[in-house]
Amino acid sequence: KTASAAAWGYSDAICARFGVTDVWLRQRKSRGDIAPVQEGVKPLWWRPWLVFELLHPDAARRYEESLPGPDGDTDGEVVYRAG
C-alpha cells in the first residue's frame, strides 16, 4: 500500500469521513465493538466498512443481504449440491 492509499483509514480521516470523534473510536475499541487493522501500530488504521456498520447497522445488514451468495443467489440460502 502506498501512504496515500492507506491514509483514508487512519483515525483522523475516519473521524472526518464519518463525523465521529477519536474518543468515540477509542471507546468502541475498548468495548470490543471494533478493532484496528493492526494492534500496536500508530497511527491506528481502521476498516471504513466496520465504522459504517457500527453507525448504520440496518443499512449495512440490508446491503450485505443484497450481495450474491457463493452460488450467485441473493436470497441468502446455502445450497449444497452433490455430484
Side-chain angles (χ1 to χ4, degrees), residues 7 13 16 21-22 27 33 38 43 46-48 50 60 67:
T21 65
D22 190 53
Q27 286 174 340
D33 295 336
Q38 194 171 12
W46 308 91
R47 297 190 192 284
L50 297 179
L67 296 174

Side-chain angles (χ1 to χ4, degrees), residues 39-78:
E39 284 287 344
V41 175
K42 301 294 182 188
L44 292 175
W45 192 83
W46 308 91
R47 297 190 192 284
W49 177 252
L50 297 179
V51 177
F52 177 83
E53 193 174 33
L54 281 173
L55 293 169
H56 308 285
D58 292 334
R61 182 183 38 72
R62 284 191 306 271
Y63 174 75
E64 288 179 342
E65 288 173 353
S66 74
L67 296 174
D71 59 356
D73 290 339
T74 57
D75 61 6
E77 289 184 24
V78 177

Side-chain angles (χ1 to χ4, degrees), residues 1-10 45:
K1 292 179 191 173
T2 64
S4 61
W8 57 268
Y10 291 141
W45 192 83

Side-chain angles (χ1 to χ4, degrees), residues 3-22:
S4 61
W8 57 268
Y10 291 141
S11 292
D12 57 348
I14 288 289
C15 291
R17 171 63 182 93
F18 291 103
V20 298
T21 65
D22 190 53

Side-chain angles (χ1 to χ4, degrees), residues 22-38:
D22 190 53
V23 171
W24 183 86
L25 279 174
R26 287 193 312 259
Q27 286 174 340
R28 295 294 181 235
K29 179 182 176 287
S30 70
R31 293 176 185 167
D33 295 336
I34 191 171
V37 172
Q38 194 171 12

